Amino acid sequence: FGAAGSRAAGSGSISGKLTGLRLDPETLGLVRQLVPLEPITLPGGFSTRIDQLDLHAHTDIAFGLVRGGIDDPVDTKLLFTVHSGRISLPGVRYRPTRLEGKLYCDTRYVQLKNFVVGDDLSQITLNGTLDRGTGVGRLEVAIRNLPFDERLHGSLPADWQRMLDTWRPGGQFDLTTTLLTSEAGRWVPTDSVLVPRGSTANHVRFPYPLEQVRGTMTQLGSSRDLRVELTAVASGRPVSFSGLVTNAGPAAASQLDLRVTQLPIDNTLLAACQPSLQRTLKAFSLRGYADISARFVRPRGENQPLRTSLAVRLNPAGIDYEHFRYPLDNLSGHITGVLTPGRDTWAFESLTARHGPARLTGHGSYVRQGTDKQLSLDITVH
């Protein structure tokens, strides 16, 4: 400890350092009396005060109390150097067991430096400053190896939960973001980048199992728009996804492009398709392999219909249409389709196939409108 002052002026200062102090909610209540801190509003609507944190840690505290004159307020400075501990926030199910770093606060500023929160698997690193006088703050967040699990799901606001329910991811991810204070005093994520670490996904509207998901989902500025650039593996084949999600959430508009080569046409693919496409594939008993380019377009608004445009190159395949039992092998050619909830249209071009010694060429179309179906094929047998 050290002290200095002048009785005549009413000024003085006290400084010192406490080492090996155990920090807990009761101690934080005392800190808040020394340096009053307003509630902190986090992204998603979480709000907490420093003395509401469930915090248990071992720390060193350097402090300074300075008063310039008898009529001046006391300027309090505190520097916490946390060596180990654990922390939890109200309403957040993630319970880190690792806590270390530095926290500085005085009557004007709060600052975090290399503050690490985590456990044996994952960690969150925080660096930032809040000007308590103006309310302007900036917080750099780097998350590494955080799992897509129920703890994460239960800690997120409802809109984010619905997005996870749509994509149904598994595994771990990295995330970097910059949180900036808005005019309303909330922390707004900006320029966020989510990086799956070989994760899995199974979209609720097209539940084809994807593995080894890698790439980036990038937030555009402070908007709710995401640029998607991902790769994955489906049935052993590399798949690429690219596109844009606008106003991410249950009312999002999106356009995503998919590309894959030599994808097996099998029960896994059949089970993932919408019922109308399932009926079409079953009717034709299509089997084999295909190169596929697809575009998935969803308009803005909740529960909007998905429009799927497909370009398929059969390479090779077989077919046995249930209403004309004439099985074909070594089938190749190009198929394009546009699928909506009420209508499917297909066009077949440059088709070639064999039935025994016979070679067939042709083109045609197939339309499903509700329960009505219309098939047109122009086939030449050689």
Side-chain angles (χ1 to χ4, degrees):
F1 293 89
S6 168
R7 174 174 295 188
S11 63
S13 65
I14 299 176
S15 63
K17 184 175 183 180
L18 301 174
T19 60
L21 184 68
R22 180 176 176 83
L23 202 60
D24 55 25
E26 184 177 350
T27 312
L28 287 176
L30 176 61
V31 171
R32 189 168 183 270
Q33 292 180 28
L34 293 173
V35 186
L37 295 174
E38 298 78 11
I40 302 171
T41 302
L42 303 173
F46 300 122
S47 180
T48 188
R49 294 197 327 241
I50 189 170
D51 55 340
Q52 291 177 323
L53 300 175
D54 183 10
L55 172 65
H56 299 270
H58 295 281
T59 183
D60 299 337
I61 302 179
F63 64 89
L65 305 175
V66 179
R67 187 165 72 173
I70 193 169
D71 296 323
D72 296 332
V74 176
D75 185 12
T76 305
K77 297 178 174 63
L78 296 171
L79 174 62
F80 297 85
T81 302
V82 180
H83 301 292
S84 63
R86 58 182 175 83
I87 189 173
S88 63
L89 295 171
V92 178
R93 296 175 61 180
Y94 183 59
R95 298 290 188 267
T97 57
R98 178 188 173 195
L99 186 68
E100 58 189 46
K102 293 185 177 182
L103 168 65
Y104 170 82
C105 55
D106 59 27
T107 52
R108 183 170 179 183
Y109 292 103
V110 177
Q111 183 176 18
L112 289 171
K113 184 174 182 180
N114 295 330
F115 208 85
V116 177
V117 182
D119 53 28
D120 293 338
L121 174 66
S122 56
Q123 72 176 39
I124 304 171
T125 303
L126 307 172
N127 285 279
T129 302
L130 172 66
D131 186 325
R132 297 173 56 203
T134 63
V136 175
R138 179 186 182 93
L139 182 63
E140 304 286 345
V141 182
I143 298 174
R144 179 172 176 81
N145 214 32
L146 195 67
F148 292 107
D149 59 13
E150 287 302 315
R151 296 177 304 166
L152 175 67
H153 186 281
S155 299
L156 295 175
D159 281 357
W160 296 15
Q161 288 184 8
R162 285 194 288 267
M163 188 162 60
L164 286 185
D165 291 338
T166 297
W167 285 94
R168 298 186 291 189
Q172 292 81 40
F173 68 95
D174 297 343
L175 175 68
T176 58
T177 187
T178 300
L179 302 179
L180 302 176
T181 49
S182 67
E183 294 182 358
R186 292 184 175 273
W187 292 88
V188 178
T190 304
D191 298 323
S192 308
V193 180
L194 186 146
V195 181
R197 296 174 59 87
S199 307
T200 62
N202 199 324
H203 196 281
V204 69
R205 295 197 180 189
F206 187 73
Y208 195 100
L210 299 175
E211 301 175 334
Q212 301 180 37
V213 180
R214 302 182 187 279
T216 59
M217 296 180 67
T218 305
Q219 178 192 16
L220 303 182
S222 59
S223 70
R224 293 170 61 94
D225 300 343
L226 301 176
R227 184 171 62 246
V228 178
E229 296 174 324
L230 298 173
T231 62
V233 174
S235 293
R237 301 301 303 160
V239 185
S240 66
F241 295 89
S242 61
L244 181 67
V245 179
T246 305
N247 190 33
S254 62
Q255 177 177 300
L256 294 176
D257 293 328
L258 173 151
R259 289 179 175 81
V260 59
T261 61
Q262 287 289 287
L263 185 72
I265 304 171
D266 56 14
N267 288 334
T268 302
L269 178 62
L270 185 68
C273 295
Q274 295 297 307
S276 61
L277 182 54
Q278 283 190 26
R279 290 191 291 269
T280 300
L281 293 176
K282 286 181 178 179
F284 283 95
S285 297
L286 187 61
R287 63 192 184 278
Y289 297 87
D291 302 339
I292 300 174
S293 296
R295 172 164 288 180
F296 305 96
V297 178
R298 183 181 185 273
R300 182 187 297 270
E302 293 197 34
N303 302 315
Q304 289 295 311
L306 182 69
R307 176 188 172 92
T308 303
S309 302
L310 291 169
V312 180
R313 177 175 175 267
L314 301 174
N315 188 27
I319 197 171
D320 187 9
Y321 185 46
E322 65 181 2
H323 299 300
F324 184 72
R325 306 317 294 254
Y326 192 77
L328 301 176
D329 297 313
N330 295 321
L331 174 64
S332 63
H334 298 277
I335 302 175
T336 56
V338 177
L339 315 179
T340 62
R343 179 183 173 87
D344 299 344
T345 60
W346 296 90
F348 310 100
E349 299 292 341
S350 304
L351 297 179
T352 64
R354 286 194 174 274
H355 178 81
R359 179 174 176 269
L360 292 81
T361 60
H363 60 274
S365 64
Y366 176 81
V367 178
R368 181 198 63 83
Q369 181 79 40
T371 58
D372 296 332
K373 305 172 186 177
Q374 182 178 356
L375 173 67
S376 174
L377 286 175
D378 185 355
I379 297 175
T380 303
V381 180
H382 306 275

